[in-house]
Amino acid sequence: MNVKSGKGLPPVLIVQSERDAATPYDGGVELHKRFKGSRLITEKDAGSHGVTGLVNPCVNARVDTYLLTGKVDAADVTCAPHATPVPKPYPSRSRSRSRSRSRSRSSTS
C-alpha cells in the first residue's frame, strides 16, 4: 500500500510495544518507514495491546504532547515497559469451602 505524509500535514506518531501479539512490532516499524517524518515510540519488552493510557509516563507524556500540540520528539524514542499490575490474592478454595460448609450447618440447626 502506498501511504504518504505531506507538506502541511502534522507528523504521524506511532506507538508500538515490542511483544504485542495483536499488532506485531515489525508492522509498526514498517508503517514508520512508510510515513516520512513519522516518529516511533517503542515500549521495550512489553506485550500489551493498547499501549497508551497505561501506567507509563514515558509513553503517556509524549502521546499527550502530540495530541495537545501536534509536536513529536526530534528522534524516535524507546521507553521501558509499563509496570505490570499485581493481582489481588484470591481466597483459596479450601477456605471458601469450609466457610460454606459451616454456613450450611448453621442454617440447618
Side-chain angles (χ1 to χ4, degrees):
M1 175 184 275
N2 186 16
V3 292
K4 296 180 181 179
S5 52
K7 187 175 182 176
L9 296 175
V12 174
L13 180 65
I14 301 160
V15 184
Q16 181 74 47
S17 63
E18 285 186 328
R19 295 184 290 120
D20 182 350
T23 55
Y25 184 71
D26 291 344
V29 172
E30 181 62 31
L31 183 66
H32 176 44
K33 288 177 187 174
R34 292 179 185 219
F35 279 107
K36 183 180 179 184
S38 66
R39 288 293 170 254
L40 175 64
I41 299 174
T42 299
E43 191 179 28
K44 189 170 181 63
D45 296 326
S48 296
H49 180 72
V51 176
T52 61
L54 298 175
V55 184
N56 191 329
C58 176
V59 172
N60 292 347
R62 288 171 169 83
V63 171
D64 290 351
T65 297
Y66 176 74
L67 293 173
L68 293 170
T69 68
K71 295 179 181 178
V72 295
D73 287 278
D76 296 337
V77 175
T78 300
C79 296
H82 64 277
T84 304
V86 178
K88 293 179 181 176
Y90 189 77
S92 68
R93 290 183 156 243
S94 61
R95 190 183 298 171
S96 61
R97 284 183 184 162
S98 64
R99 286 182 187 161
S100 63
R101 286 182 192 149
S102 63
R103 283 187 202 137
S104 62
R105 286 182 195 149
S106 62
S107 63
T108 58
S109 309

